[in-house]
Amino acid sequence: MGRTRIFSSSKFFQPSDGEPVRSIVTESKDAVVVAWYIKPGQAIPAHTHPNGQDTWTVLSGKGDYYLDKAGTTKSIAAGDVVVAHTGCVHGVFNNGDEPLVFISVVSPADAGYQLVSLEDSFALHPSLIIQSTGL
């Protein structure tokens, strides 16, 4: 019959009072599809995928999306599709009143992951001081 091709994303969102939970919807050598549920005040730390691309489809909520090591951000919101090309700094801080919910597709699956230290991250979002920086 083959592999499952249709998934209900709502079954994968995992709210957490700690750091956001990376919930894998499906994966192959070509891509990893991940469901994210980021509560207000939570963040996905700035990082890169040195060998691949990360594309987000924002389903609900809003946040400050990291664009570079200087901590420059741009607002993202429901309906946006956000692309971090190979090696581009990205991450997000939920600055809204509701959860930021999105689907991420990292391609290829072995795109790698490297945390990035933002020069102004604590000045931008003091609440990050008390959060873990690992995923």
Side-chain angles (χ1 to χ4, degrees):
M1 261 202 122
R3 289 186 255 169
T4 302
R5 295 176 52 199
I6 300 172
F7 301 86
S8 174
S9 63
S10 64
K11 294 180 181 178
F12 294 91
F13 297 118
Q14 297 183 40
S16 168
D17 289 333
E19 61 187 56
V21 175
R22 178 180 183 266
S23 182
I24 296 174
V25 175
T26 187
E27 63 185 317
S28 70
K29 67 178 178 53
D30 300 313
V32 178
V33 179
V34 179
W36 288 98
Y37 186 103
I38 317 299
K39 288 185 174 183
Q42 290 181 328
I44 294 175
H47 62 282
T48 65
H49 299 284
N51 304 309
Q53 178 172 298
D54 192 356
T55 304
W56 299 0
T57 302
V58 183
L59 303 176
S60 65
K62 65 179 186 170
D64 287 335
Y65 182 81
Y66 301 117
L67 297 171
D68 55 33
K69 287 184 178 185
T72 306
T73 62
K74 182 165 176 113
S75 293
I76 61 171
D80 289 342
V81 174
V82 186
V83 180
H85 298 285
T86 301
C88 286
V89 172
H90 62 291
V92 70
F93 176 79
N94 181 343
N95 63 345
D97 300 349
E98 63 182 86
L100 172 61
V101 178
F102 64 93
I103 298 293
S104 164
V105 179
V106 177
S107 179
D110 62 354
Y113 174 87
Q114 292 179 337
L115 277 175
V116 173
S117 293
L118 295 181
E119 297 164 10
D120 298 325
S121 63
F122 297 128
L124 290 168
H125 305 294
S127 64
L128 292 178
I129 294 171
I130 60 172
Q131 292 187 12
S132 169
T133 57
L135 283 181

